[in-house]
Amino acid sequence: MAGIVVIGAGMGAMATAARLAVAGHRVTVYERAATYGGSVGRFERDGFVFDTGPGLLRLPAVYRDLFVKTGKEPLERSVRLDQVEPASRHLFADGTDVRLPNTSRAGVVSALDAALGAGAGERWAAFLGRARDAWDRSRRPLLEEPLWPDWQVLGRDPYPAVRQRRLLRGARQAATLAEIGAWELADPRLAALLDGHALAYGLDPRRAPASAAVLPYLEQTFGSWYVRGGMRELARAVYERCLARRVEFRFGAEVVGVVEKDGAAAGIELADGTVAAADHVVAGIAPGRLVARDPDGDGDVRPRGPGGGDGGPPPGRFTVLLALRGARDPEAAHRTVVHSPDGSAEAADVFAGRTAAVPTVTVTRPDDPATRPDEGHEAVTLTATVPAHGRVDWSDAALRERYADVLARRAGAVLPGLAERLIRREVRTPADTEAQTGAAGGSVPPPALAGASGGFLYPANATRLSGLYRAGGWAHPGGGLAHAGMSGALVAGLIVEGAEFRGSR
């Protein structure tokens, strides 16, 4: 039975801890903050409750598997999962309004044909068919196995782009998500729908490889799920599962270094000078600043994870929490995306370190009594993708309020009479995310993607420093609730079974 230290209490780190504890190891989690969950946060005031991180769960099978593998009680005994219907509503710049049903390919085709014109649904369906091929080709090596030493094989894009012949010019095939929208979907609203998926994950559609097509495929195939009481309830359930498996947690304990002995990780050092010995160390944060040398060793070329469009850090989230008087409209969609009239200009601004003048705004209106003081009030969240803190000074109070006004004006199409209904609003920026989670600049890691010569892959879960492992959004297979849970399974497998571990089958 090994003694294992886990740095951080984010979702990937806790998923790792629970699996290792079930395997018989002594696991202690050290977290710099006062609570668990990482970016899966909650804000409460006067009976209003808001998620400050992810608002929906995709691929719930990842957490169902975690609960099955770590005990006899299923996930649904700890939380209630509601499938969101419709999955999303979309408002485009030309006034087009479409509601897309959850996990119904035929329903999506019908809705798009009705709103955008005959043929739009079939073009989208044909695109999703190619996205399914990309998913089938990349799913296991990208998500269910540790990153191969020969990770360059994932540098080839698995998306089967349509070869388009052109008169007097050579044939062309889409290599990026934006090119899929322009060349294969052939409708600016379908292109905006596709680009919106990328931007919501913090990806630049002009640079994201065509394989990013798997993101809308996953949403429309496996569905969007809301955790009753807010997504923080999922974090609570995972934390309590860890406690039930005798994982120890030390909050307010900042780790400042990984102790090395004889070329291997041998424990951690805390800010107060305390040293905790361990047989293995799992970093739920980027471990580079905690070790004396590059954990990948020798300066060799290894995946580092996607950055911004000009090499800067990935973007973050700007969130406005609205406490409103008046009952929620029973016809309101849980999630409405108000698309920018110029997605290309928006991406150019965000990934160059500027705030977009007319951003895409996601309006979240959960039909959940636990989020409001009574039926005469409503809790609404507005979200936009913005540059990381440092590229924009999100500590500037005046800027925060001005940009909150921008989002509120954009949301007016969904929330008529917002000014009259407003009781108060709270603003959360990448600066707040950085303070809460320790993520540099408050960046939010996007999921890993195949293609682009490996430029959208993350560092492997096993490092070149023996005994040191990575879990969570900044390690393989990247960001997002589901991907973080997958990283926990991979790290636990590597520690329990050794370097020969190749994923569960």
Side-chain angles (χ1 to χ4, degrees), residues 398-492:
L399 172 61
R400 292 160 60 103
E401 294 304 316
R402 286 198 305 271
Y403 210 62
D405 289 340
V406 171
L407 268 64
R409 287 194 294 271
R410 298 281 292 145
V414 182
L415 298 163
L418 174 58
E420 291 73 26
R421 296 184 62 194
L422 183 64
I423 298 173
R424 77 172 51 82
R425 75 182 185 189
E426 301 284 341
V427 178
R428 294 289 181 272
T429 76
D432 300 300
T433 303
E434 182 177 54
Q436 175 189 350
T437 69
S443 293
V444 178
L449 298 170
S453 300
F456 288 80
L457 300 175
Y458 284 82
N461 305 108
T463 74
R464 295 292 178 87
L465 178 62
S466 177
L468 175 64
Y469 300 84
R470 298 183 181 93
W474 297 103
H476 178 73
L481 281 173
H483 291 66
M486 293 175 195
S487 79
L490 295 176
V491 172

Side-chain angles (χ1 to χ4, degrees), residues 24-111:
H25 297 293
R26 302 187 314 274
V27 184
T28 305
V29 177
Y30 291 84
E31 168 58 52
R32 63 188 284 274
T35 188
Y36 55 84
S39 64
V40 185
R42 169 184 285 166
F43 178 82
E44 300 180 54
R45 183 171 176 179
D46 298 335
F48 292 93
V49 177
F50 304 88
D51 286 320
T52 58
L56 290 171
L57 176 64
R58 288 10 177 296
L59 289 175
V62 172
Y63 287 92
R64 288 179 175 136
D65 179 73
L66 172 65
F67 274 68
V68 167
K69 298 291 176 57
T70 59
K72 296 181 180 179
E73 294 183 357
L75 172 63
E76 278 81 356
R77 193 169 294 179
S78 296
V79 296
R80 172 178 162 180
L81 295 179
D82 293 336
Q83 197 165 15
V84 176
E85 190 61 58
S88 56
R89 176 188 177 196
H90 297 266
L91 298 181
F92 298 102
D94 68 350
T96 302
D97 186 342
V98 60
R99 293 174 180 241
L100 301 181
N102 212 337
T103 63
S104 171
R105 185 73 59 84
V108 169
V109 169
S110 177

Side-chain angles (χ1 to χ4, degrees), residues 4 57 66 87 102 113 184 261 349:
I4 299 175
L57 176 64
L66 172 65
N102 212 337
D113 277 343
E184 297 183 8
K261 183 179 180 180
D349 282 338

Side-chain angles (χ1 to χ4, degrees), residues 218-358:
L218 292 177
E219 178 180 319
Q220 295 189 10
T221 301
F222 299 104
S224 298
W225 302 78
Y226 174 70
V227 180
R228 181 65 59 161
M231 297 303 297
R232 177 71 177 175
E233 287 299 291
L234 179 63
R236 174 198 56 77
V238 176
Y239 171 67
E240 291 181 353
R241 176 54 56 93
C242 286
L243 293 179
R245 299 301 169 260
R246 299 185 178 179
V247 175
E248 293 186 27
F249 284 81
R250 309 284 174 82
F251 295 109
E254 182 178 3
V255 176
V256 296
V258 172
V259 177
E260 300 179 38
K261 183 179 180 180
D262 299 328
I268 59 168
E269 181 182 356
L270 301 176
D272 64 3
T274 302
V275 172
D279 298 293
H280 304 284
V281 175
V282 179
I285 61 174
R289 64 181 178 83
L290 301 179
V291 296
R293 56 190 173 88
D294 181 354
D296 289 323
D298 305 325
D300 59 338
V301 178
R302 307 250 296 170
R304 296 289 182 179
D310 59 354
R317 305 287 184 268
F318 187 99
T319 304
V320 184
L321 313 176
L322 302 174
L324 304 180
R325 61 176 59 87
R328 178 184 184 274
D329 181 353
E331 299 300 316
H334 181 102
R335 178 172 62 110
T336 299
V337 182
V338 183
H339 291 272
S340 170
D342 190 340
S344 180
E346 178 182 14
D349 282 338
V350 169
F351 291 91
R354 301 185 296 268
T355 56
V358 189

